[in-house]
Amino acid sequence: MQEQNIPIDIQTSKLLDWVISRRHCTKTWPQQITLVREKINSAIQDMPEHKGITKLLTGTYINYFHCLQIVEILKETEADTRSLFGRYGSQRMKDWQEVVRLYEKDNVYLAEAAQILMRNVAYEIPGIKKSITKYEQVQHESEKKENECVKNAQDFRDKYKSLSNQLGIEGKNIKNELADLLCSLPEMYKDVAQQGRKTKEAAAFYREFLGQMITGNSEVSCLPVLQYIIENGNTTVYEWRYGEPPLRIEEPSVLVAEPEAPTTTDDAIDFGDAAIDFGSDDVELETGDIDWGQIDMLPDAHEATIDFSTTEDAELGIVVQEAGVEGGVARDIEALTVLDYHKTRNMFIDDLVELEAFLKQRLMEIQATSKESKGFSFTQTHSSTEKSPQQLEEMLSQVLSTIDAINRPKLKNLALIRESPRYVDRVANSLQQHLRLADKMEANRTILAERRRSAAAEQVGLQPTLKKLIERTKELQADLEKNISKKYNNRPVHITGGVTSL
């Protein structure tokens, strides 16, 4: 192979060192290039209007090869100033020819072009690509979070509607709607009491079973509140305690927090504009001894005694009330119904749970006994209280229905509201918290959407910049390879690891 055809391979990262080491330029080129940049900044202030020049000067760093193109363009625009000897009288041409001369002195242009190529390949192009990748990632993450915010906002609103429906309200004015629902509480307790009466057979079976097992007497006392509800219904606590209905019931008021009324800043008491007339005449006070009048005492007044005899009470129409609460007034908790008062309501629930546990255990024993003919069983010893599995299942179903009725979320919430007005604020805040969170999710979605649009705009703006930079870097690399090749008898020069590898 001839020496002229042997290629020269130069690594991009070592291009500047290679140019200096081959003595194509000196190590003092940075000081020389400073003068060149000053000349360029001065010459660029006075440029003719030309599309080629505008294209060269837009969005790029002017180097030696750009200056050559500018000189070629000026040869056309400044052709009128050319003399017979080929010199130009235009100052523009002289300035740019001076720039080219300074560039070619000690091959300064090779060092600057090598540095620009290295910087573009190692930093500029990767940095722009990294920014574009970052903006794409921001768009992807923002879009993902937007969808999550929309989903979470809808979930919070659905949860709000679900809880409102569970409470039986629309959710527009929570406190007032909850206060209005208290009117339906007596009907709900009435339904529970009617449901509880259906457990009469189960309660009687439990009582008879305990009577035969413990004392041999079927009238054993158990399930006191449930038995009372079955026999008397949902009466007042007064009647449950004393065994008689009250003459008058003074129900405790339920205070529900109302929206705060606007307050005035003036705390002074307004007494009105009218003045108080105390009169203008002087008041004269009479003085003297007090006249008690003439008091005649009976001769034997100090010896008189009081007759406490009640023999004439009937004739006088006086009635003496009996001691106790007969004919009394039900106030405070005694004015509440048995199911409305939390202590008796809890006792009612305990009775139902106790009855449920008994029926389940009894059903399991009977089912086990039906499978095994031998073995000890209460069924064999107490056949008079025996029930079939179908009957026990029906009793258990009625008990479970009553437990479900008393444990309904709506009823429990209304009971808590009646017992504690502050619970209304807690329920309202709990519901409104879902709406606040939904609004927060919507606000976050708006912020994320704006961030996504901003990242997309930045990405769109960087794409042309990257494309132009890659294009100019390829041109610069080709020009460098061509100029270095001229210095080595047109041997092929390959700058490896350049822009083509990106």
Side-chain angles (χ1 to χ4, degrees), residues 48-110:
E49 294 183 1
H50 192 277
K51 293 182 179 179
I53 294 178
T54 304
K55 183 178 179 181
L56 287 173
L57 299 180
T58 303
T60 186
Y61 184 84
I62 300 176
N63 55 47
Y64 168 73
F65 304 102
H66 295 151
C67 293
L68 291 179
Q69 297 180 35
I70 292 174
V71 169
E72 293 298 324
I73 295 174
L74 289 177
K75 286 180 180 180
E76 298 178 3
T77 59
E78 307 298 324
D80 297 339
T81 63
R82 184 177 181 179
S83 66
L84 295 175
F85 300 100
R87 295 181 178 275
Y88 290 87
S90 172
Q91 186 62 36
R92 295 173 182 170
M93 178 63 77
K94 292 179 180 179
D95 291 342
W96 285 104
Q97 286 178 342
E98 178 66 16
V99 170
V100 171
R101 187 185 65 80
L102 292 174
Y103 259 129
E104 292 176 348
K105 183 179 180 182
D106 296 332
N107 295 321
V108 175
Y109 73 93
L110 283 178

Side-chain angles (χ1 to χ4, degrees), residues 332-383:
D332 299 330
I333 61 173
E334 292 183 349
L336 301 175
T337 62
V338 173
L339 295 179
D340 204 2
Y341 183 39
H342 66 92
K343 290 187 178 180
T344 51
R345 182 173 63 252
N346 291 337
M347 294 170 63
F348 177 73
I349 295 175
D350 292 342
D351 292 347
L352 289 173
V353 173
E354 180 182 350
L355 184 57
E356 176 195 2
F358 165 73
L359 292 175
K360 285 183 177 180
Q361 180 64 29
R362 196 76 188 107
L363 181 60
M364 292 174 58
E365 290 177 356
I366 292 178
Q367 290 175 347
T369 304
S370 62
K371 295 179 181 179
E372 300 177 1
S373 57
K374 297 181 180 180
F376 176 77
S377 174
F378 289 125
T379 305
Q380 298 174 355
T381 57
H382 300 281
S383 59

Side-chain angles (χ1 to χ4, degrees), residues 148-322:
E148 292 179 357
C149 288
V150 171
K151 181 180 179 299
N152 291 337
Q154 187 61 38
D155 290 343
F156 284 127
R157 296 189 188 280
D158 293 341
K159 184 68 174 178
Y160 176 80
K161 292 180 181 178
S162 176
L163 293 176
S164 298
N165 293 334
Q166 191 176 0
L167 292 172
I169 61 177
E170 295 181 4
K172 296 180 180 179
N173 193 333
I174 299 174
K175 293 184 179 181
N176 291 338
E177 291 177 8
L178 289 175
D180 295 339
L181 278 180
L182 292 178
C183 300
S184 63
L185 195 57
E187 287 295 327
M188 298 174 69
Y189 284 139
K190 183 178 179 181
D191 295 338
V192 173
Q194 292 177 355
Q195 191 72 27
R197 289 185 175 182
K198 295 180 181 180
T199 63
K200 180 178 181 180
E201 184 180 0
F205 171 58
Y206 180 47
R207 186 172 60 255
E208 292 174 4
F209 183 87
L210 287 180
Q212 295 185 14
M213 284 293 300
I214 300 175
T215 62
N217 182 6
S218 61
E219 297 300 327
V220 66
S221 176
C222 63
L223 311 176
V225 179
L226 176 60
Q227 190 63 34
Y228 181 84
I229 294 292
I230 293 173
E231 295 176 358
N232 302 284
N234 187 29
T235 64
T236 60
V237 175
Y238 182 98
E239 185 173 350
W240 174 72
R241 284 181 174 178
Y242 306 118
E244 62 179 11
L247 292 180
R248 189 174 75 256
I249 299 176
E250 296 180 0
E251 294 186 0
S253 59
V254 180
L255 299 177
V256 178
E258 296 291 340
E260 296 184 358
T263 57
T264 59
T265 57
D266 188 6
D267 296 330
I269 301 175
D270 184 8
F271 291 99
D273 296 332
I276 301 176
D277 184 10
F278 291 98
S280 58
D281 298 334
D282 295 335
V283 180
E284 295 181 0
L285 298 178
E286 295 181 359
T287 58
D289 297 335
I290 300 175
D291 184 8
W292 298 98
Q294 184 67 29
I295 301 177
D296 296 329
M297 300 293 293
L298 295 175
D300 298 330
H302 60 279
E303 297 179 358
T305 59
I306 301 174
D307 185 7
F308 292 94
S309 176
T310 59
T311 56
E312 297 180 358
D313 285 346
E315 296 179 1
L316 297 176
I318 300 174
V319 178
V320 179
Q321 294 184 351
E322 297 180 2

